Amino acid sequence: QQPVQSPQAVILREGEDAVINCSSSKALYSVHWYRQKHGEAPVFLMILLKGGEQKGHDKISASFNEKKQQSSLYLTASQLSYSGTYFCGTERDSSASKIIFGSGTRLSIRP
Amino acid sequence: DAGITQSPRHKVTETGTPVTLRCHQTENHRYMYWYRQDPGHGLRLIHYSYGVKDTDKGEVSDGYSVSRSKTEDFLLTLESATSSQTSVYFCAIATHMNTEAFFGQGTRLTVV
Protein backbone atom coordinates (compact mmCIF):
# COMPACT_ATOMS: atom_id res chain seq x y z
CA GLN A 1 0.00 0.00 0.00
CA GLN A 2 1.41 3.33 -1.08
CA PRO A 3 2.29 5.89 1.60
CA VAL A 4 0.32 9.11 1.37
CA GLN A 5 2.19 12.31 0.62
CA SER A 6 0.97 15.83 1.24
CA PRO A 7 0.72 18.34 -0.19
CA GLN A 8 0.55 17.14 -3.79
CA ALA A 9 2.09 20.36 -5.00
CA VAL A 10 3.55 23.52 -3.51
CA ILE A 11 4.83 26.76 -4.98
CA LEU A 12 7.35 28.82 -3.08
CA ARG A 13 9.39 31.91 -3.57
CA GLU A 14 13.13 31.56 -3.24
CA GLY A 15 14.11 31.71 0.43
CA GLU A 16 10.84 30.37 1.80
CA ASP A 17 10.49 27.14 3.76
CA ALA A 18 8.50 24.03 2.93
CA VAL A 19 7.41 20.86 4.69
CA ILE A 20 6.44 17.69 2.86
CA ASN A 21 4.69 14.95 4.78
CA CYS A 22 4.57 11.21 4.27
CA SER A 23 2.32 8.87 6.21
CA SER A 24 1.52 5.19 6.20
CA SER A 25 -1.24 3.11 7.71
CA LYS A 26 1.25 0.29 8.36
CA ALA A 27 4.18 0.11 10.74
CA LEU A 28 7.39 1.24 9.06
CA TYR A 29 11.00 0.23 9.45
CA SER A 30 12.50 2.96 7.31
CA VAL A 31 11.61 5.97 5.20
CA HIS A 32 13.56 7.12 2.15
CA TRP A 33 13.40 10.53 0.51
CA TYR A 34 14.25 11.16 -3.16
CA ARG A 35 14.09 14.14 -5.49
CA GLN A 36 13.40 13.90 -9.20
CA LYS A 37 14.03 16.66 -11.69
CA HIS A 38 11.91 16.73 -14.83
CA GLY A 39 13.06 14.11 -17.32
CA GLU A 40 15.65 12.65 -14.95
CA ALA A 41 15.94 9.72 -12.61
CA PRO A 42 15.10 10.05 -8.90
CA VAL A 43 18.08 10.89 -6.72
CA PHE A 44 18.51 9.81 -3.11
CA LEU A 45 18.36 12.49 -0.41
CA MET A 46 18.33 10.57 2.86
CA ILE A 47 17.01 7.56 4.73
CA LEU A 48 15.64 7.40 8.25
CA LEU A 49 15.47 4.18 10.19
CA LYS A 50 13.12 3.03 12.89
CA GLY A 51 14.05 4.77 16.10
CA GLY A 52 12.54 8.21 15.53
CA GLU A 53 15.71 9.80 14.27
CA GLN A 54 16.13 13.06 12.49
CA LYS A 55 18.61 13.59 9.71
CA GLY A 56 19.73 16.43 7.56
CA HIS A 57 22.29 17.88 5.31
CA ASP A 58 22.65 21.48 4.24
CA LYS A 59 19.16 23.01 4.45
CA ILE A 60 17.23 19.81 3.86
CA SER A 61 16.35 17.67 6.86
CA ALA A 62 13.80 15.04 7.78
CA SER A 63 12.21 13.42 10.79
CA PHE A 64 10.59 10.03 11.32
CA ASN A 65 7.95 9.38 13.94
CA GLU A 66 7.62 5.60 14.00
CA LYS A 67 4.71 5.64 16.44
CA LYS A 68 2.65 7.65 14.00
CA GLN A 69 4.21 6.04 10.91
CA GLN A 70 4.94 9.51 9.63
CA SER A 71 7.91 11.29 8.17
CA SER A 72 8.38 14.91 7.24
CA LEU A 73 10.91 16.51 4.91
CA TYR A 74 11.93 20.07 5.75
CA LEU A 75 13.39 22.41 3.17
CA THR A 76 14.58 25.70 4.62
CA ALA A 77 15.55 28.87 2.77
CA SER A 78 14.63 27.16 -0.48
CA GLN A 79 16.81 27.61 -3.54
CA LEU A 80 15.86 27.38 -7.21
CA SER A 81 17.75 24.09 -7.36
CA TYR A 82 15.27 22.55 -4.92
CA SER A 83 12.58 22.48 -7.59
CA GLY A 84 11.40 19.01 -8.55
CA THR A 85 9.18 16.21 -7.39
CA TYR A 86 9.87 14.71 -3.99
CA PHE A 87 9.06 11.10 -3.23
CA CYS A 88 9.02 9.28 0.04
CA GLY A 89 9.64 5.56 -0.05
CA THR A 90 8.86 3.19 2.78
CA GLU A 91 10.08 -0.22 3.89
CA ARG A 92 7.92 -2.05 6.34
CA ASP A 93 10.35 -4.37 8.04
CA SER A 94 14.00 -5.23 8.20
CA SER A 95 13.58 -8.52 6.34
CA ALA A 96 11.80 -7.25 3.25
CA SER A 97 13.54 -5.26 0.58
CA LYS A 98 10.44 -3.71 -0.96
CA ILE A 99 10.60 0.07 -1.28
CA ILE A 100 7.09 1.43 -1.84
CA PHE A 101 6.87 5.03 -2.96
CA GLY A 102 4.21 7.67 -2.51
CA SER A 103 2.73 9.56 -5.43
CA GLY A 104 5.07 12.50 -4.99
CA THR A 105 5.00 16.21 -4.11
CA ARG A 106 5.79 18.68 -6.86
CA LEU A 107 7.80 21.62 -5.55
CA SER A 108 8.20 24.75 -7.65
CA ILE A 109 10.53 27.54 -6.55
CA ARG A 110 10.06 30.98 -8.08
CA PRO A 111 12.76 33.68 -8.07
CA ASP B 1 27.33 7.72 -10.61
CA ALA B 2 26.27 4.16 -9.92
CA GLY B 3 26.89 1.84 -12.83
CA ILE B 4 23.36 1.07 -13.90
CA THR B 5 22.20 0.98 -17.50
CA GLN B 6 18.73 0.46 -18.89
CA SER B 7 18.06 -0.65 -22.44
CA PRO B 8 16.42 0.30 -24.62
CA ARG B 9 15.89 3.92 -23.56
CA HIS B 10 12.90 4.34 -25.83
CA LYS B 11 10.63 1.79 -27.43
CA VAL B 12 7.40 1.84 -29.37
CA THR B 13 5.63 -1.46 -29.74
CA GLU B 14 2.28 -2.78 -30.86
CA THR B 15 -0.43 -4.15 -28.63
CA GLY B 16 -0.09 -7.87 -28.11
CA THR B 17 3.64 -8.12 -28.77
CA PRO B 18 6.12 -9.30 -26.14
CA VAL B 19 8.63 -6.76 -24.86
CA THR B 20 11.73 -7.21 -22.72
CA LEU B 21 13.47 -4.39 -20.89
CA ARG B 22 16.95 -4.88 -19.54
CA CYS B 23 18.62 -3.47 -16.46
CA HIS B 24 22.37 -4.00 -16.21
CA GLN B 25 24.52 -3.03 -13.23
CA THR B 26 28.26 -3.08 -12.67
CA GLU B 27 28.06 -2.49 -8.89
CA ASN B 28 27.44 -6.07 -7.76
CA HIS B 29 24.46 -4.86 -5.70
CA ARG B 30 22.23 -7.56 -4.31
CA TYR B 31 18.87 -5.83 -4.68
CA MET B 32 17.30 -4.79 -7.96
CA TYR B 33 13.89 -3.25 -8.58
CA TRP B 34 11.59 -2.42 -11.47
CA TYR B 35 9.22 0.53 -11.12
CA ARG B 36 6.81 2.19 -13.47
CA GLN B 37 6.09 5.89 -13.32
CA ASP B 38 2.81 7.39 -14.45
CA PRO B 39 1.39 10.87 -13.82
CA GLY B 40 -0.47 11.01 -10.53
CA HIS B 41 0.79 7.62 -9.36
CA GLY B 42 4.40 8.28 -8.57
CA LEU B 43 6.70 5.27 -8.68
CA ARG B 44 4.97 1.92 -8.39
CA LEU B 45 6.92 -1.26 -7.70
CA ILE B 46 6.41 -3.98 -10.29
CA HIS B 47 8.87 -6.69 -9.19
CA TYR B 48 12.06 -6.83 -7.24
CA SER B 49 14.95 -9.21 -6.74
CA TYR B 50 16.98 -9.98 -3.64
CA GLY B 51 19.49 -12.26 -5.33
CA VAL B 52 20.14 -14.42 -8.37
CA LYS B 53 16.93 -16.30 -9.21
CA ASP B 54 15.24 -14.73 -6.16
CA THR B 55 12.40 -12.44 -7.14
CA ASP B 56 9.10 -11.31 -5.70
CA LYS B 57 6.06 -9.35 -6.76
CA GLY B 58 5.46 -5.69 -6.09
CA GLU B 59 2.31 -3.60 -6.16
CA VAL B 60 1.49 -3.81 -9.86
CA SER B 61 2.91 -7.12 -11.08
CA ASP B 62 0.01 -8.33 -13.25
CA GLY B 63 1.07 -8.61 -16.89
CA TYR B 64 4.78 -8.52 -16.04
CA SER B 65 7.39 -11.17 -15.37
CA VAL B 66 11.03 -10.87 -14.41
CA SER B 67 14.16 -12.94 -14.45
CA ARG B 68 17.55 -12.62 -12.86
CA SER B 69 20.00 -15.29 -13.94
CA LYS B 70 23.09 -13.20 -13.16
CA THR B 71 23.80 -10.66 -10.46
CA GLU B 72 24.25 -7.90 -13.00
CA ASP B 73 21.12 -8.34 -15.10
CA PHE B 74 17.44 -7.96 -14.22
CA LEU B 75 15.01 -8.42 -17.09
CA LEU B 76 11.42 -7.20 -17.18
CA THR B 77 9.12 -8.87 -19.70
CA LEU B 78 5.70 -7.80 -20.83
CA GLU B 79 4.30 -11.03 -22.21
CA SER B 80 1.65 -9.33 -24.33
CA ALA B 81 1.89 -5.56 -24.20
CA THR B 82 -1.26 -3.49 -23.66
CA SER B 83 -1.83 0.25 -23.96
CA SER B 84 -2.16 0.48 -20.17
CA GLN B 85 1.50 -0.52 -19.94
CA THR B 86 2.59 2.64 -21.71
CA SER B 87 4.80 4.23 -19.09
CA VAL B 88 8.29 5.18 -18.05
CA TYR B 89 10.06 2.24 -16.46
CA PHE B 90 12.84 2.71 -13.95
CA CYS B 91 15.26 0.14 -12.66
CA ALA B 92 16.91 0.67 -9.27
CA ILE B 93 19.65 -1.11 -7.34
CA ALA B 94 20.69 -1.22 -3.69
CA THR B 95 23.45 -2.94 -1.75
CA HIS B 96 21.40 -3.86 1.31
CA MET B 97 17.92 -3.40 2.65
CA ASN B 98 17.24 0.01 4.13
CA THR B 99 20.01 1.67 2.16
CA GLU B 100 20.19 4.15 -0.68
CA ALA B 101 18.71 3.02 -3.98
CA PHE B 102 20.30 4.15 -7.26
CA PHE B 103 18.07 4.59 -10.27
CA GLY B 104 18.74 4.03 -13.92
CA GLN B 105 17.85 6.68 -16.49
CA GLY B 106 14.55 5.08 -17.37
CA THR B 107 12.95 3.48 -20.42
CA ARG B 108 10.04 5.20 -22.11
CA LEU B 109 7.73 2.53 -23.48
CA THR B 110 4.81 3.33 -25.74
CA VAL B 111 2.31 0.64 -26.66
CA VAL B 112 0.18 1.54 -29.68
Side-chain angles (χ1 to χ4, degrees):
Chain A
Q1 186 174 6
Q2 280 189 300
V4 177
Q5 285 187 236
S6 63
Q8 291 185 331
V10 60
I11 301 173
L12 299 176
R13 290 206 176 276
E14 204 172 2
E16 293 181 334
D17 302 339
V19 179
I20 300 171
N21 300 302
C22 176
S23 64
S24 173
S25 59
K26 307 289 185 182
L28 301 176
Y29 190 86
S30 67
V31 178
H32 301 229
W33 285 98
Y34 293 78
R35 177 171 62 209
Q36 184 179 30
K37 301 277 187 180
H38 182 69
E40 299 180 4
V43 174
F44 176 81
L45 293 175
M46 65 189 76
I47 184 171
L48 301 101
L49 302 180
K50 184 177 176 180
E53 64 180 275
Q54 186 156 355
K55 276 195 172 184
H57 56 84
D58 200 10
K59 295 178 179 143
I60 301 176
S61 62
S63 63
F64 177 26
N65 185 326
E66 68 182 83
K67 290 184 179 180
K68 294 185 177 180
Q69 288 86 250
Q70 292 178 349
S71 179
S72 294
L73 185 71
Y74 307 94
L75 301 101
T76 59
S78 57
Q79 306 168 14
L80 294 176
S81 61
Y82 288 2
S83 291
T85 301
Y86 290 77
F87 293 98
C88 71
T90 58
E91 293 186 79
R92 288 180 52 193
D93 61 62
S94 61
S95 62
S97 55
K98 297 168 68 168
I99 309 173
I100 305 298
F101 286 92
S103 57
T105 296
R106 181 175 294 178
L107 177 65
S108 300
I109 310 294
R110 303 290 168 82
Chain B
D1 290 343
I4 177 170
T5 305
Q6 291 185 229
S7 59
R9 293 291 314 279
H10 300 272
K11 186 171 182 65
V12 179
T13 192
E14 293 186 349
T15 299
T17 60
V19 177
T20 295
L21 308 182
R22 182 186 185 221
C23 178
H24 178 77
Q25 60 145 330
T26 58
E27 305 295 325
N28 201 36
H29 284 1
R30 178 181 177 186
Y31 298 97
M32 299 186 77
Y33 308 84
W34 276 109
Y35 291 91
R36 60 177 291 174
Q37 185 169 36
D38 306 287
H41 292 280
L43 295 155
R44 291 184 291 176
L45 181 64
I46 306 171
H47 283 279
Y48 67 102
S49 170
Y50 45 95
V52 173
K53 298 193 190 308
D54 292 323
T55 65
D56 203 353
K57 296 179 179 180
E59 309 165 89
V60 290
S61 58
D62 288 348
Y64 301 94
S65 63
V66 290
S67 66
R68 191 172 179 196
S69 59
K70 299 184 291 185
T71 298
E72 57 266 36
D73 289 323
F74 192 32
L75 304 179
L76 177 70
T77 297
L78 291 67
E79 303 291 346
S80 178
T82 66
S83 58
S84 65
Q85 293 176 312
T86 291
S87 186
V88 177
Y89 291 85
F90 283 100
C91 174
I93 61 175
T95 51
H96 310 288
M97 291 181 292
N98 302 300
T99 59
E100 173 181 0
F102 299 93
F103 282 80
Q105 290 305 302
T107 294
R108 182 172 295 277
L109 176 68
T110 303
V111 183
V112 297

